Amino acid sequence: MITRNRFGHMPDGTQVEAVTLENATGNQAVILSLGATIQKWYLVKESIDLVLGFGSVEEYLGDAHYIGRTVGRYANRIAKGMFSIDGDNHQVSVNQNGNCLHGGESGFHNRIWDITDIQDSDTPSVTMSLTSPDGDQGFPGQLQTQVTFTLDNDDCLTIHYEASTDKDTVYNPTQHTYFNICGQESGEVHNQQVRLIASQYTPANDQGIPTGEIRATKGSPFDLSELRSLADLIQNSHPEILATNGADHNWCVDGFEPSQSEQRLAAVLVDPKSGRKLITRTSMPGLQIYTANFLGQCKGKQGAEYGPFHGVCLESQFYPNSPNEPAFPSPVLRKEQKFKSTTSYQIVTK
Ligand code: GLA
């Protein structure tokens, strides 16, 4: 079942809509046209909302942490905001330490997306579309982009991205939800556990820019092949973890093939107390695990108080700074190509 409601309006009066996807069990995901944002993911039986979020447009516009947003054109960082495609140099907007983060000063996360398709069934879905003009934040080409959210009866929330461009460009969308599988108001995630199906990661400098190396995780704190508590990661004294005050790193999900569009198992997050699990699958090569290290104190939905480590982001992506790293899978989208990628989050309750 699908319902559409008015969520609020932008300062210029443009309406922001909330689309509620409800599956046959009555569980719900609410998607906003502002930023193609996952505002809520509610489990009826457990009375739990799994994602951080806000109750008003004003709070979303004041949020600097991309909570729940669809991020683009290029999620994560591009060093100095510079890259070239076939010898053509591009300078894009720089908004963090002289680098481009999450699409630059005015990325996709605060745009109003058009609701272009709705499929009302017991696996409801909504498609939102955005046209990013040629030169948007410095990126070449007019990009037509779509994101479809589907909630199925196995409580799998699938996010499918498509895009095409009229000039060669780079495209790297992600979903920046802060999950807390104990409930959005339940505080720090230290006791939750994570396992990654990723035997390599990309070491980075203290600005989060990869050195270019793809390094095996074995024998390091980045080895998450066995279930480990997030506290283990957050409180680790490895210099790369100290540099980011917790996890904020890109892992290379095993089994990526550029020609394959199938999703692969990437991560399992577990709440040992309730046995609840969140399973992440993706067709993308990388997964940034970000433990909300820099989330400041703020008020969330229904009086929740958020702060550092109150959620964990599982951001599927091309590796950071891929436009400048020829050995990394390429984020270049050619004019004659169609971009397609899929990432899904499935909640399994006992
Ligand atoms: C990503 C980055 C973090 C931080 C958050 C947003 O996860 O890697 O460093 O910028 O987004 O606050």
Side-chain angles (χ1 to χ4, degrees), residues 100-169:
C100 178
L101 173 69
H102 293 334
E105 205 55 61
S106 174
F108 290 0
H109 56 285
N110 276 341
R111 309 271 172 99
I112 296 294
W113 293 61
D114 291 326
I115 298 170
T116 46
D117 192 34
I118 278 196
Q119 298 292 329
D120 198 350
S121 68
D122 61 1
T123 55
S125 77
V126 58
T127 300
M128 298 189 179
S129 303
L130 183 76
T131 302
S132 165
D134 187 11
D136 190 1
Q137 310 302 301
F139 289 94
Q142 175 172 294
L143 189 77
Q144 300 285 356
T145 173
Q146 293 187 341
V147 54
T148 299
F149 299 85
T150 305
L151 183 65
D152 73 16
N153 288 324
D154 295 319
D155 290 308
C156 188
L157 181 56
T158 299
I159 302 153
H160 179 70
Y161 304 87
E162 294 197 359
S164 54
T165 176
D166 64 2
K167 283 183 196 159
D168 294 350
T169 190

Side-chain angles (χ1 to χ4, degrees), residues 62-83:
D63 159 45
H65 303 281
Y66 305 87
I67 294 184
R69 312 311 175 82
T70 294
V71 169
R73 272 189 207 193
Y74 195 92
N76 217 310
R77 295 164 179 82
I78 301 176
K80 300 189 172 63
M82 286 164 69
F83 60 93

Side-chain angles (χ1 to χ4, degrees), residues 105-272:
E105 205 55 61
S106 174
F108 290 0
H109 56 285
N110 276 341
R111 309 271 172 99
I112 296 294
W113 293 61
D114 291 326
I115 298 170
T116 46
D117 192 34
I118 278 196
Q119 298 292 329
D120 198 350
S121 68
D122 61 1
T123 55
S125 77
V126 58
T127 300
M128 298 189 179
S129 303
L130 183 76
T131 302
S132 165
D134 187 11
D136 190 1
Q137 310 302 301
F139 289 94
Q142 175 172 294
L143 189 77
Q144 300 285 356
T145 173
Q146 293 187 341
V147 54
T148 299
F149 299 85
T150 305
L151 183 65
D152 73 16
N153 288 324
D154 295 319
D155 290 308
C156 188
L157 181 56
T158 299
I159 302 153
H160 179 70
Y161 304 87
E162 294 197 359
S164 54
T165 176
D166 64 2
K167 283 183 196 159
D168 294 350
T169 190
V170 292
Y171 189 43
N172 183 27
T174 198
Q175 226 303 321
H176 211 297
T177 283
Y178 291 65
F179 292 99
N180 190 327
I181 60 171
C182 295
Q184 60 96 19
E185 72 299 330
S186 66
E188 293 183 344
V189 292
H190 290 67
N191 293 332
Q192 295 170 34
Q193 301 168 327
V194 69
R195 177 166 81 86
L196 295 185
I197 297 73
S199 45
Q200 295 172 305
Y201 80 111
T202 51
N205 69 15
D206 58 7
Q207 296 180 354
I209 305 289
T211 59
E213 185 190 353
I214 295 178
R215 188 185 289 173
T217 58
K218 213 170 176 50
S220 81
F222 297 96
D223 182 356
L224 296 171
S225 55
E226 307 281 337
L227 212 52
R228 281 196 13 225
S229 76
L230 286 172
D232 252 27
L233 259 186
I234 293 168
Q235 293 163 349
N236 204 282
S237 60
H238 188 283
E240 273 188 70
I241 294 179
L242 289 180
T244 48
N245 201 31
D248 190 5
H249 300 80
N250 172 66
W251 274 262
C252 312
V253 182
D254 291 345
F256 175 74
E257 296 284 347
S259 55
Q260 278 268 12
S261 56
E262 250 92 273
Q263 298 185 74
R264 288 130 34 239
L265 180 61
V268 182
L269 184 72
V270 177
D271 167 31

Side-chain angles (χ1 to χ4, degrees), residues 7 30 32 34 37-41 49-63 65-69 175-180 183-186 295-296 298-307 310-313:
F7 184 74
V30 177
L32 303 181
L34 169 59
T37 296
I38 300 176
Q39 190 258 346
K40 177 176 172 182
W41 186 3
D49 185 347
L50 301 164
V51 301
L52 274 57
F54 300 107
S56 72
V57 171
E58 293 67 33
E59 287 164 297
Y60 275 105
L61 294 179
D63 159 45
H65 303 281
Y66 305 87
I67 294 184
R69 312 311 175 82
Q175 226 303 321
H176 211 297
T177 283
Y178 291 65
F179 292 99
N180 190 327
Q184 60 96 19
E185 72 299 330
S186 66
L295 183 62
C298 61
K299 272 211 176 320
K301 290 176 283 189
Q302 284 147 348
E305 299 275 355
Y306 301 150
H310 281 214
V312 53
C313 303

